[in-house]
Amino acid sequence: MQAMYKAAMPGIRIANIMLLALLLHACGFHLRGSGPGALAVSSVHVDAGGARKLGEEVSAQLSGLGVALPATADAAEVVLKLGNERQERKVLTVSAQTGKVEEYELILSATMTVLDAEGNILSKNQPVSARRDLTYDEAAVLGKFEEERILQEELRKQVAANVLRRLSAVAR
């Protein structure tokens, strides 16, 4: 009798997992970043003259969505111009006892302009930005440099995602 229950356990587990997945899907739950990602356009030319690194990230995210990235603006449905990419590091908090920096604020900002295939401006010089806090510890300087580099990459991905959301809203 006990052997029969052991044989049925994997099937019951799988059924429970599938039921849970169905319930989560039915309520609209989705993992962060895995929501609907389709754009209303099939091809976007990215002109990132003033925001090279951000342009690379936006292009990578667009190609991940299956959007064509033509080399010229003439072959694209929409032209996305990125510019004024700026990374800032501002002092956020200072120790009252030592006067040393305890926390920085990292900011990445840029502007975006969207044009349609005929060259009409759909959105002009719209600012996009993201911010993160970085705690600073003099005892772990090398680790903090690496943490700052990782946070800058995360900021770039976040700003690129913001660009795609705005592009999706404008290009409807």
Side-chain angles (χ1 to χ4, degrees), residues 26-66:
C27 77
F29 173 81
H30 57 81
L31 294 173
R32 182 178 174 190
S34 66
L39 288 175
V41 294
S42 59
S43 64
V44 177
H45 173 71
V46 179
D47 178 4
R52 186 183 55 80
K53 288 183 179 181
L54 180 60
E56 290 171 2
E57 183 61 37
V58 168
S59 296
Q61 289 187 20
L62 282 169
S63 66
L65 292 173

CSV table of all heavy atoms in Angstrom, one decimal, residues 26-66:
chain,number,residue,atom,x,y,z
A,26,ALA,N,-3.4,33.0,-14.3
A,26,ALA,CA,-4.7,33.6,-14.4
A,26,ALA,C,-4.9,34.9,-13.7
A,26,ALA,O,-5.7,35.7,-14.1
A,26,ALA,CB,-5.7,32.5,-13.9
A,27,CYS,N,-4.2,35.1,-12.6
A,27,CYS,CA,-4.3,36.4,-11.9
A,27,CYS,C,-3.5,37.5,-12.5
A,27,CYS,O,-3.5,38.6,-12.0
A,27,CYS,CB,-4.0,36.2,-10.4
A,27,CYS,SG,-2.2,36.1,-10.1
A,28,GLY,N,-2.7,37.2,-13.6
A,28,GLY,CA,-1.9,38.2,-14.2
A,28,GLY,C,-0.5,38.4,-13.7
A,28,GLY,O,0.2,39.2,-14.1
A,29,PHE,N,-0.1,37.5,-12.8
A,29,PHE,CA,1.3,37.5,-12.3
A,29,PHE,C,2.3,37.2,-13.3
A,29,PHE,O,2.1,36.3,-14.2
A,29,PHE,CB,1.4,36.5,-11.1
A,29,PHE,CG,2.8,36.4,-10.6
A,29,PHE,CD1,3.3,37.3,-9.7
A,29,PHE,CD2,3.6,35.4,-11.0
A,29,PHE,CE1,4.6,37.2,-9.2
A,29,PHE,CE2,4.9,35.3,-10.5
A,29,PHE,CZ,5.4,36.2,-9.6
A,30,HIS,N,3.4,38.0,-13.4
A,30,HIS,CA,4.5,37.6,-14.2
A,30,HIS,C,5.8,38.1,-13.5
A,30,HIS,O,5.8,39.0,-12.7
A,30,HIS,CB,4.4,38.2,-15.6
A,30,HIS,CG,4.2,39.7,-15.7
A,30,HIS,ND1,5.3,40.5,-15.5
A,30,HIS,CD2,3.1,40.5,-15.8
A,30,HIS,CE1,4.9,41.8,-15.6
A,30,HIS,NE2,3.6,41.8,-15.7
A,31,LEU,N,6.9,37.4,-13.8
A,31,LEU,CA,8.2,37.8,-13.2
A,31,LEU,C,8.6,39.2,-13.7
A,31,LEU,O,8.2,39.6,-14.8
A,31,LEU,CB,9.2,36.8,-13.6
A,31,LEU,CG,9.0,35.4,-13.0
A,31,LEU,CD1,10.1,34.4,-13.6
A,31,LEU,CD2,9.1,35.4,-11.5
A,32,ARG,N,9.3,39.9,-12.9
A,32,ARG,CA,9.7,41.2,-13.2
A,32,ARG,C,10.6,41.2,-14.5
A,32,ARG,O,11.5,40.4,-14.6
A,32,ARG,CB,10.6,41.8,-12.1
A,32,ARG,CG,11.1,43.2,-12.3
A,32,ARG,CD,11.9,43.6,-11.1
A,32,ARG,NE,12.4,44.9,-11.4
A,32,ARG,CZ,13.3,45.5,-10.6
A,32,ARG,NH1,13.7,44.9,-9.5
A,32,ARG,NH2,13.8,46.6,-10.9
A,33,GLY,N,10.2,42.0,-15.4
A,33,GLY,CA,11.0,42.1,-16.7
A,33,GLY,C,10.5,41.1,-17.7
A,33,GLY,O,11.0,41.1,-18.8
A,34,SER,N,9.5,40.3,-17.4
A,34,SER,CA,9.0,39.3,-18.4
A,34,SER,C,7.6,39.6,-18.8
A,34,SER,O,7.0,38.7,-19.3
A,34,SER,CB,9.1,37.9,-17.8
A,34,SER,OG,8.2,37.8,-16.7
A,35,GLY,N,7.2,40.8,-18.6
A,35,GLY,CA,5.9,41.2,-19.0
A,35,GLY,C,5.8,41.3,-20.5
A,35,GLY,O,6.7,41.0,-21.3
A,36,PRO,N,4.6,41.8,-21.0
A,36,PRO,CA,4.5,41.9,-22.4
A,36,PRO,C,5.5,42.9,-23.0
A,36,PRO,O,5.7,44.0,-22.5
A,36,PRO,CB,3.1,42.5,-22.6
A,36,PRO,CG,2.6,42.9,-21.3
A,36,PRO,CD,3.5,42.3,-20.3
A,37,GLY,N,6.3,42.4,-24.0
A,37,GLY,CA,7.4,43.2,-24.5
A,37,GLY,C,7.2,43.6,-26.0
A,37,GLY,O,8.2,44.1,-26.5
A,38,ALA,N,6.1,43.3,-26.6
A,38,ALA,CA,6.0,43.5,-28.0
A,38,ALA,C,5.8,45.0,-28.2
A,38,ALA,O,5.1,45.8,-27.5
A,38,ALA,CB,4.7,42.8,-28.5
A,39,LEU,N,6.5,45.5,-29.3
A,39,LEU,CA,6.4,46.9,-29.7
A,39,LEU,C,5.4,46.9,-30.9
A,39,LEU,O,5.3,45.9,-31.6
A,39,LEU,CB,7.7,47.4,-30.1
A,39,LEU,CG,8.7,47.7,-29.0
A,39,LEU,CD1,10.1,48.2,-29.6
A,39,LEU,CD2,8.2,48.8,-28.1
A,40,ALA,N,4.8,48.1,-31.1
A,40,ALA,CA,3.9,48.2,-32.3
A,40,ALA,C,4.6,48.4,-33.6
A,40,ALA,O,4.0,48.5,-34.6
A,40,ALA,CB,3.0,49.4,-32.0
A,41,VAL,N,6.0,48.5,-33.5
A,41,VAL,CA,6.8,48.6,-34.7
A,41,VAL,C,7.7,47.4,-34.9
A,41,VAL,O,8.0,46.7,-34.0
A,41,VAL,CB,7.6,49.9,-34.7
A,41,VAL,CG1,6.8,51.1,-34.7
A,41,VAL,CG2,8.5,49.9,-33.5
A,42,SER,N,8.0,47.1,-36.2
A,42,SER,CA,8.8,46.0,-36.4
A,42,SER,C,10.3,46.3,-36.7
A,42,SER,O,11.1,45.4,-36.7
A,42,SER,CB,8.3,45.2,-37.6
A,42,SER,OG,8.2,46.0,-38.8
A,43,SER,N,10.6,47.6,-37.0
A,43,SER,CA,12.0,48.0,-37.2
A,43,SER,C,12.2,49.4,-36.7
A,43,SER,O,11.4,50.3,-36.8
A,43,SER,CB,12.3,48.0,-38.7
A,43,SER,OG,11.5,48.9,-39.4
A,44,VAL,N,13.4,49.5,-36.0
A,44,VAL,CA,13.8,50.7,-35.4
A,44,VAL,C,15.2,51.0,-35.7
A,44,VAL,O,16.1,50.1,-35.5
A,44,VAL,CB,13.6,50.7,-33.8
A,44,VAL,CG1,14.1,52.0,-33.2
A,44,VAL,CG2,12.2,50.4,-33.4
A,45,HIS,N,15.5,52.2,-36.2
A,45,HIS,CA,16.9,52.6,-36.4
A,45,HIS,C,17.3,53.4,-35.2
A,45,HIS,O,16.7,54.4,-34.8
A,45,HIS,CB,17.0,53.5,-37.6
A,45,HIS,CG,18.4,54.1,-37.8
A,45,HIS,ND1,19.5,53.3,-38.1
A,45,HIS,CD2,18.9,55.3,-37.6
A,45,HIS,CE1,20.6,54.1,-38.2
A,45,HIS,NE2,20.2,55.3,-37.9
A,46,VAL,N,18.4,52.9,-34.5
A,46,VAL,CA,18.9,53.6,-33.3
A,46,VAL,C,20.1,54.5,-33.7
A,46,VAL,O,21.1,54.0,-34.1
A,46,VAL,CB,19.3,52.6,-32.2
A,46,VAL,CG1,19.8,53.3,-31.0
A,46,VAL,CG2,18.1,51.7,-31.8
A,47,ASP,N,19.9,55.8,-33.5
A,47,ASP,CA,21.0,56.8,-33.7
A,47,ASP,C,21.4,57.2,-32.3
A,47,ASP,O,20.8,58.0,-31.7
A,47,ASP,CB,20.4,57.9,-34.5
A,47,ASP,CG,21.5,59.0,-34.8
A,47,ASP,OD1,22.6,58.8,-34.4
A,47,ASP,OD2,21.1,60.1,-35.3
A,48,ALA,N,22.5,56.7,-31.9
A,48,ALA,CA,23.0,56.9,-30.5
A,48,ALA,C,24.3,57.7,-30.5
A,48,ALA,O,25.3,57.4,-29.8
A,48,ALA,CB,23.2,55.6,-29.8
A,49,GLY,N,24.3,58.8,-31.3
A,49,GLY,CA,25.5,59.6,-31.4
A,49,GLY,C,26.0,60.2,-30.1
A,49,GLY,O,27.2,60.2,-29.8
A,50,GLY,N,25.1,60.6,-29.3
A,50,GLY,CA,25.5,61.2,-28.0
A,50,GLY,C,25.3,60.3,-26.8
A,50,GLY,O,25.4,60.7,-25.7
A,51,ALA,N,25.0,59.0,-27.1
A,51,ALA,CA,24.8,58.1,-26.0
A,51,ALA,C,25.2,56.7,-26.4
A,51,ALA,O,24.3,55.8,-26.5
A,51,ALA,CB,23.3,58.1,-25.6
A,52,ARG,N,26.4,56.5,-26.7
A,52,ARG,CA,26.9,55.3,-27.3
A,52,ARG,C,26.6,54.0,-26.5
A,52,ARG,O,26.0,53.0,-27.0
A,52,ARG,CB,28.4,55.3,-27.6
A,52,ARG,CG,29.0,54.2,-28.4
A,52,ARG,CD,30.5,54.3,-28.6
A,52,ARG,NE,31.2,54.4,-27.3
A,52,ARG,CZ,31.5,53.4,-26.5
A,52,ARG,NH1,31.1,52.2,-26.8
A,52,ARG,NH2,32.2,53.6,-25.4
A,53,LYS,N,26.9,54.0,-25.2
A,53,LYS,CA,26.7,52.9,-24.4
A,53,LYS,C,25.3,52.6,-24.2
A,53,LYS,O,24.8,51.4,-24.2
A,53,LYS,CB,27.4,53.0,-23.0
A,53,LYS,CG,28.9,53.0,-23.1
A,53,LYS,CD,29.5,53.1,-21.7
A,53,LYS,CE,31.0,53.0,-21.8
A,53,LYS,NZ,31.6,53.0,-20.4
A,54,LEU,N,24.5,53.6,-24.0
A,54,LEU,CA,23.0,53.4,-23.8
A,54,LEU,C,22.4,52.9,-25.1
A,54,LEU,O,21.6,52.0,-25.1
A,54,LEU,CB,22.3,54.7,-23.4
A,54,LEU,CG,20.8,54.7,-23.2
A,54,LEU,CD1,20.4,53.7,-22.2
A,54,LEU,CD2,20.3,56.1,-22.9
A,55,GLY,N,22.9,53.4,-26.2
A,55,GLY,CA,22.5,52.9,-27.6
A,55,GLY,C,22.7,51.5,-27.8
A,55,GLY,O,21.9,50.8,-28.3
A,56,GLU,N,23.9,51.0,-27.3
A,56,GLU,CA,24.2,49.6,-27.4
A,56,GLU,C,23.2,48.7,-26.6
A,56,GLU,O,22.7,47.7,-27.1
A,56,GLU,CB,25.6,49.3,-27.0
A,56,GLU,CG,26.7,49.8,-27.9
A,56,GLU,CD,28.1,49.8,-27.3
A,56,GLU,OE1,28.2,49.2,-26.2
A,56,GLU,OE2,29.0,50.2,-28.0
A,57,GLU,N,22.9,49.2,-25.4
A,57,GLU,CA,21.9,48.5,-24.5
A,57,GLU,C,20.5,48.5,-25.1
A,57,GLU,O,19.8,47.5,-25.1
A,57,GLU,CB,22.0,49.0,-23.1
A,57,GLU,CG,21.1,48.3,-22.2
A,57,GLU,CD,21.4,46.8,-22.0
A,57,GLU,OE1,22.6,46.5,-22.0
A,57,GLU,OE2,20.5,46.0,-21.8
A,58,VAL,N,20.1,49.6,-25.6
A,58,VAL,CA,18.8,49.7,-26.2
A,58,VAL,C,18.7,48.8,-27.4
A,58,VAL,O,17.7,48.1,-27.6
A,58,VAL,CB,18.4,51.2,-26.6
A,58,VAL,CG1,17.2,51.3,-27.5
A,58,VAL,CG2,18.2,52.0,-25.4
A,59,SER,N,19.7,48.8,-28.3
A,59,SER,CA,19.8,47.9,-29.4
A,59,SER,C,19.7,46.5,-29.0
A,59,SER,O,19.0,45.7,-29.7
A,59,SER,CB,21.0,48.2,-30.3
A,59,SER,OG,21.0,49.5,-30.8
A,60,ALA,N,20.4,46.1,-28.0
A,60,ALA,CA,20.4,44.7,-27.5
A,60,ALA,C,19.0,44.3,-27.0
A,60,ALA,O,18.5,43.2,-27.3
A,60,ALA,CB,21.4,44.5,-26.4
A,61,GLN,N,18.3,45.2,-26.3
A,61,GLN,CA,17.0,44.9,-25.8
A,61,GLN,C,16.0,44.8,-27.0
A,61,GLN,O,15.1,44.0,-27.0
A,61,GLN,CB,16.6,45.9,-24.7
A,61,GLN,CG,17.3,45.7,-23.4
A,61,GLN,CD,16.8,46.6,-22.3
A,61,GLN,OE1,15.7,47.1,-22.4
A,61,GLN,NE2,17.6,46.8,-21.3
A,62,LEU,N,16.1,45.7,-27.9
A,62,LEU,CA,15.2,45.7,-29.1
A,62,LEU,C,15.4,44.4,-29.9
A,62,LEU,O,14.4,43.8,-30.3
A,62,LEU,CB,15.5,46.9,-30.0
A,62,LEU,CG,14.9,48.2,-29.6
A,62,LEU,CD1,15.5,49.3,-30.4
A,62,LEU,CD2,13.4,48.2,-29.6
A,63,SER,N,16.7,44.0,-30.1
A,63,SER,CA,16.9,42.7,-30.8
A,63,SER,C,16.4,41.5,-30.0
A,63,SER,O,15.9,40.6,-30.6
A,63,SER,CB,18.3,42.6,-31.2
A,63,SER,OG,19.2,42.4,-30.1
A,64,GLY,N,16.4,41.6,-28.7
A,64,GLY,CA,15.9,40.6,-27.9
A,64,GLY,C,14.4,40.4,-28.0
A,64,GLY,O,13.8,39.4,-27.8
A,65,LEU,N,13.7,41.5,-28.4
A,65,LEU,CA,12.3,41.5,-28.6
A,65,LEU,C,11.9,41.1,-30.0
A,65,LEU,O,10.8,41.1,-30.4
A,65,LEU,CB,11.7,42.9,-28.3
A,65,LEU,CG,11.7,43.4,-26.9
A,65,LEU,CD1,11.3,44.8,-26.8
A,65,LEU,CD2,10.8,42.5,-26.0
A,66,GLY,N,13.0,40.9,-30.9
A,66,GLY,CA,12.7,40.5,-32.3
A,66,GLY,C,12.5,41.7,-33.2
A,66,GLY,O,12.0,41.5,-34.3
